[in-house]
Amino acid sequence: MNSRSSSIPVQNPRRPTLPDRAISRRLSALPSAEQGRNGAAAGSAEQQITEEIEEIKRYEDFTTIDWVQDAAREQLRRGARRIEDAGSLEREGGLSWRHKVLGLYDAGQAWIVVTLVGAAIGLNAAFLNIVTEWLSDVKLGYCTTAFYLNEQFCCWGADNGCDEWHRWSAIWPVNYLLYSLFSTLFALTSASLVKSFAPYAAGSGISEIKCIIAGFVMKGFLGFWTLLIKSICLPLAIASGLSVGKEGPSVHYAVCTGNVISRFFDKYKRNAAKTREILSACAAAGVAVAFGSPIGGVLFSLEEMSSYFPLKTMWRSYFCALVATAVLAAMNPFRTGQLVLFQVKYDRSWHFFEIIFYIFIGVFGGLYGAFVMKWNLRAQAFRKKYLTKYAILEATLLAAGTAVVCYPNMFLRIDMTESMEILFLECEGAEDYDGLCEAKNRWSMVLSLAFATILRTFLVVISYGCKVPAGIFVPSMAIGASFGRMVGILVQALHESFPHSKFFAACEPDVPCITPGTYAFLGAGAALSGIMHITVSVVVIMFELTGALTYILPTMIVVGVTKAVGDRFGKGGIADRMIWFNGFPFLDNKEEHTFNVPVSQVMTGDVTVLPASSLELRAVEKLLRETRFGGFPVVEDRSSMVLLGYIGQTELRYAIDRAKREGSISPFARCFFTLPPSAPVQTPLSTAPAVTFDDIASSSGQQSLDFSRFIDSTPLAVHPRLPLETVMEIFKKMGPRVILIEYRGRLTGLVTVKDCLKYQFKVEAQENPRDDSVLDKRQERLWTLMNRAGDWVADKVLNLSGGRIKLSGRGLPVSQWNEDPRDHRSPIEPSPSDRILDGTEDDDLGLELEER
């Protein structure tokens, strides 16, 4: 790898000689020859141009941020600030109180933003908890004292209900019907609001946020409308009974909060790297308020969310999580002092013979994660191929079907967080839920828990990904809790059947030996680890939920076994699989590859280049119209291909537009991307004023344009024989947008993240070939069956209503709602033509897509 010097030798103004090339990286998007001229005045002009270009880039959807360039611009701003301070110090003999106050404010902006964001996240989390509990309970009944109270507050202090809380009817079928109607109404409202106002509010958002923190731009994904609609629709989606959770969406609305608030501060409005720090801190706060686990939230952000996590970001993430949980605790939404509903305390120890059963639970967690990820991705492929236009109908029918099949089961009927609270509790000294702890009901409870585990797993597979705010953390934990509680009850029954066996010799007499609630707790941790493929953060989250130091070792054993089993079926959790599924250009730091090929086998060899001085303005404009590349290498001429620099498409468009604003430009004007031969050659130490567009003549006879100030004369370049693995590490660690391939000063190609991913998927497809034709046929048959069923229902309704009610059947037009941009801009079809986004596209609709 090498970089190119920004100095231009006097002997040849158009071609830098090899000895003059430095190893230093570029200092800004503008040539460093323009820096330092004319003191602060030149620096101010350069900074103004840079900020105007950045303002344009902020609104370019589905592009990637060049982190190296962003860091260079920040260095330029710091240099301009130092020059300004030095000038003030020289003029006034010292810094004025105004400069000192502004300096303190600039230094403290990070802590102000983190505090405001943490407080806002805590308030929002408390609001969502209160609303979600009431909406979940209103499906079952109402409080006669005050309609706005849920069952817990209505019957405060009572163990098993109270007279103030009434079911909707004394007739069981009527309650069944109302429960289903409420669930359907909640899902219909949530899906309609999402699709009408904020399509990006659908889903979990964790996979997209991982890509955004890594530098991928998704316009509107973290905007105010997404925050508002996600906050409104999340309680509705949870209360509808769909097998979705709020913990994943909690991360999304927390990051939205941080993005919206940070935009009011100049430091974060103009600096993507500093915004990334805030977004990482917000992700930690989102998990912290979801689980009542501030330290676990920080570790989750470190382990799962952030590709770049320095110590400074960790400290700010911790402070943001601390503020958020402190505000949530002050709000005390459950009036019990608990931050989450399923928080529990254990005062018993465990026995070493139970490790066998803990390992069994860990194996279940790994198998559960692999099963759900495999079949959920197939369900997502079917949804994207056939159900995109029927998002509202799909969510509504899913909620109605879920309510119909879940109401008869005591563990599926109630909210999942409430279910986990019940399953986590010890039997002795705690409230007994519908005879869960009674020995006579043991086998019926085992069957009920087994049914709940199987059915909930199926519902998670088909529900996660529908167009409502939907997470997978809590559903997975509820599945693991029901399975773990079932195992705990069976182990307890085994102990009671053979109390004097040597296997149970460690049990003390007259003291409960087996605590089924701890098995539920460990099962929840196993399922969460299995679906997300995270380890350390799960252990800390589960520890903070219970406060039981004695159960750290069992939790570590379970999570370790889950990780080992899950890795046998593939790397990465559901968020990583969704990144692959949606085709986002993201290189995962956790992946390691051995390709044993040079970068020359992966690079794009046929590169569109800009000659330094032979192009007319009309040719440049035609090139911009007909291509969607993120930038163009600048060469001496097309025959020699001597590399001189690189110019981004945004910079080039800006330069042309600015030149046209400044004066009338002929389309036949020659464009110079290095200093013209007749121009005075100026080195970085020159004190001559900078060349500006103010110097351009406003006459129509203008025959030349100097774009040299917009050229990056030190682009990141590597040798063609450099191993591909090293190039991928450069992309991961440094985050450039493009890397040029240079051999003895001549351009031979370029490589992007997309090229690396395309080769990676090609190798993986060769190592693990598969034929999806059978799956495609099955999906086609399923879609045909669904159409026939829909037509049959429509005909029956039409006949029964005497022709007054007509439902849309197959082939009839559907209403044109606002659709999720991800359905059009990043399609992954379940056919062999899987797609991947480049991240350097400029056109919003016809994105350049390639097969992988």
Side-chain angles (χ1 to χ4, degrees), residues 358 361 424 480 484 517-527 542 551 554-555 558:
Y358 297 160
I361 292 175
F424 285 177
T518 60
Y519 287 77
F521 159 76
L522 294 173
M542 302 309 289
Y551 281 91
T555 307
V558 169

Side-chain angles (χ1 to χ4, degrees), residues 454-662:
I454 295 171
L455 183 59
R456 181 78 76 188
T457 301
F458 170 74
L459 292 175
V460 167
V461 168
I462 63 174
S463 300
Y464 181 68
C466 66
K467 298 304 180 182
V468 296
I472 202 170
F473 285 20
V474 164
S476 297
M477 293 177 70
I479 291 169
S482 59
F483 178 82
R485 185 78 185 206
M486 180 185 68
V487 173
I489 292 175
L490 292 176
V491 174
Q492 188 180 45
L494 182 65
H495 170 254
E496 292 180 1
S497 300
F498 305 97
H500 303 295
S501 171
K502 291 184 179 179
F503 186 76
F504 299 108
C507 295
E508 299 179 6
D510 302 326
V511 175
C513 181
I514 306 298
T515 307
T518 60
Y519 287 77
F521 159 76
L522 294 173
L528 177 58
S529 177
I531 198 66
M532 293 300 297
H533 277 224
I534 52 179
T535 53
V536 179
S537 52
V538 171
V539 174
V540 175
I541 287 172
M542 302 309 289
F543 162 67
E544 290 186 277
L545 280 175
T546 61
L549 285 168
T550 54
Y551 281 91
I552 287 184
L553 182 58
T555 307
M556 294 176 67
I557 292 173
V558 169
V559 170
V561 173
T562 299
K563 173 71 171 172
V565 173
D567 285 345
R568 298 292 299 173
F569 295 93
K571 303 291 184 180
I574 187 69
D576 300 307
R577 306 291 177 91
M578 289 304 299
I579 291 174
W580 170 86
F581 181 83
N582 286 312
F584 297 135
F586 179 76
L587 286 173
D588 195 348
N589 283 329
K590 297 189 288 291
E591 290 186 358
E592 295 181 0
H593 300 282
T594 304
F595 298 113
N596 295 321
V597 296
V599 68
S600 58
Q601 292 193 19
V602 181
M603 71 180 186
T604 300
D606 185 15
V607 182
T608 301
V609 299
L610 297 177
S613 60
S614 62
L615 278 183
E616 295 179 345
L617 178 61
R618 60 177 181 172
V620 176
E621 292 180 320
K622 180 181 178 182
L623 188 66
L624 288 175
R625 286 194 305 268
E626 295 178 353
T627 62
R628 296 188 299 264
F629 303 129
F632 306 94
V634 177
V635 297
E636 188 174 85
D637 55 66
R638 287 193 173 100
S639 59
S640 67
M641 294 296 285
V642 174
L643 181 62
L644 300 180
Y646 184 86
I647 184 170
Q649 186 191 66
T650 304
E651 285 82 356
L652 185 55
R653 287 184 185 274
Y654 171 82
I656 295 175
D657 293 341
R658 183 179 172 91
K660 289 182 176 180
R661 289 198 308 267
E662 295 291 336

Side-chain angles (χ1 to χ4, degrees), residues 435-447 489-490 492-494 496-497:
L436 176 63
C437 295
E438 295 181 9
K440 64 180 181 179
N441 298 330
R442 180 169 293 159
W443 297 110
S444 63
M445 289 296 167
V446 168
L447 293 176
I489 292 175
L490 292 176
Q492 188 180 45
L494 182 65
E496 292 180 1
S497 300

Side-chain angles (χ1 to χ4, degrees), residues 213 275-285 301 306 308-309 313 317:
I213 292 177
T275 303
R276 175 167 64 169
E277 296 177 5
I278 296 298
L279 300 187
S280 298
C282 293
S301 183
S306 303
Y308 176 74
F309 204 84
T313 302
S317 299

Side-chain angles (χ1 to χ4, degrees), residues 36-99:
R37 297 179 183 175
N38 207 25
S44 177
E46 301 293 353
Q47 185 174 352
Q48 179 185 357
I49 293 176
T50 303
E51 290 179 356
E52 289 179 1
I53 293 176
E54 280 308 294
E55 188 68 20
I56 297 172
K57 285 186 174 182
R58 275 186 56 199
Y59 298 100
E60 291 182 338
D61 203 6
F62 279 75
T63 58
T64 50
I65 297 171
D66 191 323
W67 293 113
V68 180
Q69 202 174 44
D70 188 79
R73 283 191 295 269
E74 178 60 18
Q75 292 294 331
L76 177 63
R77 294 189 190 101
R78 291 181 181 177
R81 193 182 306 120
R82 283 196 296 268
I83 293 174
E84 182 181 354
D85 291 343
S88 175
L89 191 64
E90 183 179 350
R91 289 191 307 269
E92 303 176 9
L95 292 177
S96 64
W97 65 269
R98 182 173 175 271
H99 275 88

Side-chain angles (χ1 to χ4, degrees), residues 787-798:
N787 272 286
R788 290 175 180 174
D791 292 339
W792 181 83
V793 171
D795 292 340
K796 291 296 182 182
V797 171
L798 185 66

Side-chain angles (χ1 to χ4, degrees), residues 771-814:
D771 183 11
D772 291 335
S773 59
V774 176
L775 179 62
D776 292 341
K777 292 179 180 178
R778 291 176 179 174
Q779 289 184 347
E780 185 66 34
R781 286 198 296 268
L782 177 60
W783 178 239
T784 303
L785 180 63
M786 292 172 64
N787 272 286
R788 290 175 180 174
D791 292 339
W792 181 83
V793 171
D795 292 340
K796 291 296 182 182
V797 171
L798 185 66
N799 294 332
L800 291 175
S801 64
R804 289 187 297 271
I805 301 178
K806 186 176 182 181
L807 301 179
S808 296
R810 183 176 59 178
L812 295 178
V814 296

